[in-house]
Amino acid sequence: MSADTTTALAAIRLGLDTLRTHALGDTADHEDHVTVLQALYDDRDREGSVLGMLSELITDLGIVLGEQGAEDVAETIDEAAGYVQDSAGMRLERARAVLTEGAPAGPPQAETSQNR
């Protein structure tokens, strides 16, 4: 592993440890949890959130690999980027909404004659 990669990993680890301390510290409350959830994923600022940045990096890596002829790998990597942002990100967004607005925690239910 290159020195630049090692330095980048150390910086990421430090940032994540800081978020962990903020969210899980002895004095942490719902506001702290919401702040950390928003840092991890914010649907209004995807590029500014941890998962948004990670998804963007993964996507860019897939593009480069695809341009180099590794289309199968690029497709798999692109799917991984989608899971990071869409699947994990949207779940974190829903959890944040529940904590801040009291929104329902589960996926929206289809309207039926029984729940109208």
Side-chain angles (χ1 to χ4, degrees), residues 8-49:
L9 284 172
I12 292 166
R13 184 172 288 113
L14 177 62
L16 291 175
D17 285 346
T18 301
L19 291 174
R20 175 186 299 275
T21 299
H22 188 72
L24 305 176
D26 292 339
T27 60
D29 59 13
H30 279 333
E31 186 175 316
D32 296 320
H33 302 147
V34 167
T35 299
V36 171
L37 286 170
Q38 187 170 7
L40 292 173
Y41 185 79
D42 185 353
D43 197 41
R44 295 162 296 180
D45 182 21
R46 291 180 183 188
E47 292 80 23
S49 67

Side-chain angles (χ1 to χ4, degrees), residues 34-94:
V34 167
T35 299
V36 171
L37 286 170
Q38 187 170 7
L40 292 173
Y41 185 79
D42 185 353
D43 197 41
R44 295 162 296 180
D45 182 21
R46 291 180 183 188
E47 292 80 23
S49 67
V50 172
L51 291 183
M53 289 184 276
L54 181 59
S55 178
E56 185 176 350
L57 172 61
I58 294 169
T59 297
D60 291 346
L61 180 58
I63 290 169
V64 168
L65 288 168
E67 290 171 351
Q68 294 175 352
E71 288 86 9
D72 291 345
V73 174
E75 184 177 323
T76 300
I77 288 174
D78 190 53
E79 288 175 12
Y83 284 120
V84 167
Q85 186 157 293
D86 297 337
S87 187
M90 296 314 291
R91 283 172 172 77
L92 294 178
E93 184 74 16
R94 192 167 52 235

